[in-house]
Amino acid sequence: MVKMELWENVILTGYLLWGSWYDIRKRAVPVGVLFLGGVLAVMVIVWKGFECSRLVALLPGILLLLLSKATKEIGEADGIVLALTGFISRDKNILLILGISLLYIFLYAMILFCRKRNRSLQIPYLPFLLAAYITAWMTG
């Protein structure tokens, strides 16, 4: 059972790494990355069966998606990837992952602000989500 959890974590880390790479390079996440996340979510349902608790893990991503619609400052793909991460992730620590990712992005933004004093800079979110996922995985 531990081996299966390890593979799930490695696959989700690879998925987030791929999305992060695009987010850093193009400040956008292609539809193919989002589609792969959807395929992984369907595979989880087929492989493990449906669990109602996975729907609760979608909520932070849905909230981020709604914020992106309301503010136009947050990318829609960020909310979708966060929702998929919550759904796919075995651990139900999506709120912890979200909190850590927001802390990391806040610290990075403060460093950038102190160095450049540029408020209009766009910061990709997925690398911080990846770092937060790895942090939660390694510490938990």
Side-chain angles (χ1 to χ4, degrees), residues 47-122:
W47 192 2
K48 305 253 181 186
F50 181 76
E51 299 171 11
C52 288
S53 63
R54 291 194 188 274
L55 290 178
V56 175
L58 288 172
L59 293 177
I62 291 170
L63 177 65
L64 195 63
L65 186 60
L66 291 173
L67 282 172
S68 75
K69 291 283 190 189
T71 65
K72 304 292 185 208
E73 297 294 323
I74 302 169
E76 292 176 14
D78 298 333
I80 294 169
V81 171
L82 181 63
L84 289 170
T85 300
F87 188 83
I88 295 168
S89 178
R90 277 187 68 94
D91 56 17
K92 291 158 185 70
N93 291 333
I94 194 63
L95 288 177
L96 175 65
I97 294 168
L98 175 63
I100 293 170
S101 70
L102 293 176
L103 176 66
Y104 286 165
I105 204 165
F106 170 76
L107 294 173
Y108 180 73
M110 294 300 354
I111 291 168
L112 285 180
F113 179 73
C114 290
R115 290 182 65 211
K116 296 182 181 181
R117 304 248 185 235
N118 185 358
R119 293 183 182 188
S120 64
L121 191 64
Q122 287 184 337

Side-chain angles (χ1 to χ4, degrees), residues 29-49:
V29 180
V31 174
V33 172
L34 301 176
F35 179 75
L36 177 63
V39 169
L40 291 173
V42 169
M43 287 175 56
V44 165
I45 292 172
V46 169
W47 192 2
K48 305 253 181 186

